[in-house]
């Protein structure tokens, strides 16, 4: 990451990372497809309506794992194996403790959260059951994500991908066995996901134990290094809070979707899967930005920092927009994977046209915020995201929707929030770079 042309290296890093995230999302997509075809529309609504709730908890863990990625990348850039080893040990402790804590909170508060979201009575019991079963597997998901972040810090995005391909196939097989053959409902798909997550966590721990380098995992773990913990929390916690706020705003939007009934909920849930796939493309270039910029920033190579940012932004927009428009172009085929109910599909089409077709706008703040975090600036992007996503979206639901009701009007808030947030974070990046390095941002970085 510190030498030579970066274009091919970023692609080799980011594309397996994108596929890894897609494989994780396939766990949920297979759940949605199986219950949609074999259980019914209400089960589809129950599983799909849980996506923002699950995202609320997972985004905190994923944000903290980004802190691990940035800290370990900085130590590698400085050629400091001692601090790298201590950061790795500290990170895995955070994964275990954080995963268990968040799972306990989610399990205990499942019904209360779904009630606050206005989940309809005909969906409630199945939604609660699915969420509680899902929470049992969350600690394993935390261990895998932190372990994968450590491997990605040294450029290893392929082994996490291979793990997820294998466990994704396992998840699909277990779904068919539990639901189709054994007649289980939403609890069957949640248990299948939990088992697959446990297997992926076990494999990545074994791989790290076999690694004798500074990113290897040795038991018993070294004592928690509070300096490394502080760095991980300082960078990762704001990213996690940003993700949680993002999910909270989506929960508010989901509550508005719920008010339109189970058919709208089901159509929205089906279309949402494709937004996640494209978002993971953005996240892959986020990961590339953190690792490449983090290492080069640690090494003091600012020109490569700027070049890495420009490449990650350009590639993120191109790949995300390409898949956005592919899904919209073939909307009937893709939505048909999840449901064949005409009324449900109609609402799915509406969401795909308005939200999915413009999702590449999200690169403007996602990748820019990752670049800032790789250089240690994490709080400001979080604040701007809270303003641009949470406040705008919540305000839209409570003040605009009563005046201009309708599912299509509700969906318009997504592109509007991306434009507002992107403008604020890009301005912050430009100001930070000028203050930090005293140079005008080169033309190649103009992403407006």
């Amino acid at each position: 990451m510190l030498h030579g042309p970066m274009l091919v290296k970023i692609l080799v890093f980011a594309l397996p990372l994108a596929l890894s995230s897609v494989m994780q999302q396939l766990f949920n997509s297979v759940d949605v497809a199986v219950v949609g075809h074999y259980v019914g529309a209400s089960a589809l609504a129950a599983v799909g309506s849980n996506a923002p709730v699950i995202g609320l908890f997972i985004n905190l863990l994923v944000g903290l794992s980004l802190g691990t990625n940035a800290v370990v990348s900085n130590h590698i850039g400085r050629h400091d194996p001692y601090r790298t080893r201590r950061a790795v040990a500290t990170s895995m402790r955070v994964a275990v403790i954080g995963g268990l804590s968040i799972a306990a909170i989610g399990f205990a508060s499942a019904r209360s959260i779904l009630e606050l979201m206005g989940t309809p009575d005909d969906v409630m019991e199945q939604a609660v059951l699915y969420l509680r079963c899902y929470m049992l597997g969350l600690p394993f998901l935390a261990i895998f994500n932190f372990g994968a972040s450590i491997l990605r810090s040294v450029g290893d995005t392929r082994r996490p991908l291979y793990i997820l391909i294998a466990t994704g196939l396992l998840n699909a097989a277990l779904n068919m066995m539990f639901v189709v053959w054994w007649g289980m409902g939403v609890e069957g798909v949640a248990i299948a996901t939990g088992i697959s997550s446990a297997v992926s966590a076990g494999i990545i721990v074994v791989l790290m134990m076999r690694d004798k380098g500074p990113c290897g995992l040795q038991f018993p773990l070294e004592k928690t290094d509070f300096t490394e913990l502080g760095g991980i929390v300082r960078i990762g916690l704001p990213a996690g809070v940003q993700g949680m706020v993002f999910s909270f705003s989506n929960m508010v939007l989901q509550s508005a979707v719920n008010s339109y009934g189970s058919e709208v909920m089901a159509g929205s849930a089906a279309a949402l899967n494709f937004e996640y796939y494209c978002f993971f493309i953005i996240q892959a270039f986020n990961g590339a930005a953190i690792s490449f910029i983090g290492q080069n920033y640690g090494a003091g190579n600012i020109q490569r920092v700027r070049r890495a940012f420009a490449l990650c932004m350009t590639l993120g927009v191109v790949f995300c927009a390409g898949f956005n428009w592919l899904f919209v172009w073939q909307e009937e085929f893709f939505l048909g994977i999840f449901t064949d109910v005409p009324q449900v599909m109609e609402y799915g089409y509406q969401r795909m046209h308005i939200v999915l077709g413009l999702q590449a706008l999200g690169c403007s703040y996602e990748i820019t915020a990752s670049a800032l975090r790789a250089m240690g600036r994490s709080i400001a992007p979080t604040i701007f995201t809270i303003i641009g996503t949470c406040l705008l979206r919540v305000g839209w639901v409570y003040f605009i929707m009563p005046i201009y009701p309708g599912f299509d009007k509700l969906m318009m808030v997504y592109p509007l929030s991306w434009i507002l947030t992107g403008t604020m974070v890009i301005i912050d990046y430009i100001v930070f770079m000028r203050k930090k390095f005293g140079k005008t941002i080169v033309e190649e970085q103009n992403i407006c």
Side-chain angles (χ1 to χ4, degrees):
M1 297 183 186
L2 297 172
H3 307 284
M6 284 189 286
L7 175 60
V8 174
K9 293 179 182 179
I10 288 174
L11 286 173
V12 169
F13 181 99
L15 295 182
L17 178 55
L19 287 173
S20 297
S21 298
V22 166
M23 290 305 302
Q24 281 189 296
Q25 179 58 28
L26 276 175
F27 289 179
N28 184 259
S29 294
V30 171
D31 293 351
V32 173
V34 169
V35 298
H37 284 288
Y38 294 101
V39 184
S42 62
L44 172 60
V47 174
S49 64
N50 266 305
V53 185
I54 292 170
L56 184 73
F57 296 111
I58 289 180
N59 279 329
L60 177 58
L61 291 173
V62 171
L64 287 171
S65 73
L66 290 178
T68 291
N69 194 327
V71 168
V72 174
S73 294
N74 275 194
H75 292 335
I76 292 171
R78 295 187 176 97
H79 305 287
D80 190 340
Y82 172 75
R83 294 191 66 183
T84 300
R85 281 192 294 270
R86 296 187 73 85
V88 167
T90 301
S91 296
M92 295 310 291
R93 276 204 173 89
V94 172
V96 173
I97 296 172
L100 289 171
S101 301
I102 293 174
I105 294 170
F107 188 93
S109 61
R111 183 176 295 276
S112 298
I113 292 173
L114 291 168
E115 286 176 350
L116 286 173
M117 292 174 60
T119 304
D121 292 339
D122 62 332
V123 174
M124 176 63 77
E125 293 306 318
Q126 293 184 86
V128 172
L129 180 59
Y130 178 80
L131 183 55
R132 284 179 171 165
C133 290
Y134 190 97
M135 285 296 119
L136 296 177
L138 190 65
F140 300 113
L141 195 60
I143 292 169
F144 174 81
N145 276 298
F146 274 76
S149 286
I150 291 167
L151 294 181
R152 290 165 188 151
S153 298
V154 292
D156 184 359
T157 58
R158 295 185 181 183
R159 286 192 293 177
L161 170 61
Y162 300 151
I163 294 169
L164 288 171
I165 290 174
T167 53
L169 293 173
L170 173 63
N171 181 67
L174 291 174
N175 271 321
M176 297 300 291
M177 182 173 71
F178 291 157
V179 177
V180 180
W181 298 343
W182 292 1
M184 298 175 70
V186 295
E187 73 278 11
V189 293
I191 292 170
T193 300
I195 293 172
S196 301
S197 298
V199 172
S200 65
I203 295 173
I204 207 161
V205 167
V206 171
L207 289 178
M208 293 179 67
M209 289 175 64
R210 292 180 176 177
D211 187 345
K212 302 305 179 183
C215 288
L217 194 60
Q218 299 178 356
F219 290 97
L221 292 175
E222 296 185 31
K223 293 182 179 179
T224 300
D225 187 315
F226 288 98
T227 300
E228 301 303 331
L229 178 61
I232 292 168
V233 171
R234 179 173 55 84
I235 296 172
L237 186 59
V241 170
Q242 173 181 315
M244 290 182 71
V245 168
F246 190 84
S247 294
F248 173 76
S249 67
N250 285 340
M251 286 173 60
V252 174
L253 289 172
Q254 184 64 46
S255 68
V257 171
N258 293 350
S259 68
Y260 292 107
S262 59
E263 287 185 345
V264 178
M265 290 174 65
S268 179
L272 184 62
N273 283 275
F274 304 106
E275 293 169 33
Y276 280 129
Y277 294 138
C278 295
F279 177 71
F280 290 140
I281 294 173
I282 302 176
Q283 286 291 77
F285 289 101
N286 282 349
I290 288 176
S291 294
F292 278 79
I293 292 173
Q295 284 200 25
N296 283 285
Y297 182 76
N301 194 336
I302 306 308
Q303 285 302 114
R304 287 182 68 83
V305 167
R306 292 173 169 172
R307 179 65 175 162
F309 172 69
L311 286 171
C312 289
M313 178 63 71
T314 301
L315 292 169
V317 170
V318 169
F319 276 88
C320 183
F323 279 94
N324 287 160
W325 299 335
L326 171 64
F327 288 136
V328 173
W329 175 44
Q330 294 295 324
E331 59 186 8
E332 184 174 356
F333 167 77
F334 287 113
L335 282 177
I337 295 172
F338 299 98
T339 181
D340 54 6
V341 180
Q343 296 91 333
V344 172
M345 294 184 74
E346 182 60 35
Y347 291 111
Y349 296 151
Q350 289 186 33
R351 179 161 189 144
M352 291 180 79
H353 290 167
I354 298 171
V355 182
L356 188 63
L358 297 172
Q359 192 180 15
L361 290 169
C363 293
S364 61
Y365 71 90
E366 289 283 353
I367 295 175
T368 309
S370 292
L372 289 165
R373 291 192 178 100
M375 295 182 285
R377 184 174 176 83
S378 191
I379 295 177
T382 299
I383 294 172
F384 293 135
T385 302
I386 290 173
I387 295 171
T389 57
C390 184
L391 295 183
L392 176 62
R393 293 178 183 182
V394 171
W396 189 270
V397 169
Y398 288 107
F399 298 108
I400 303 299
M401 292 307 299
I403 303 174
Y404 302 102
F407 180 67
D408 56 339
K409 308 297 191 304
L410 178 64
M411 293 296 102
M412 283 299 299
V413 74
Y414 282 101
L416 292 174
S417 65
W418 293 331
I419 292 170
L420 175 61
T421 309
T423 300
M424 291 188 292
V425 177
I426 288 170
I427 291 172
D428 182 59
Y429 173 82
I430 293 172
V431 172
F432 172 80
M433 293 295 285
R434 287 178 175 173
K435 286 184 177 179
K436 185 76 175 178
F437 306 112
K439 296 179 181 179
T440 302
I441 304 304
V442 293
E443 189 177 36
E444 68 181 3
Q445 289 181 279
N446 186 358
I447 57 176
C448 296

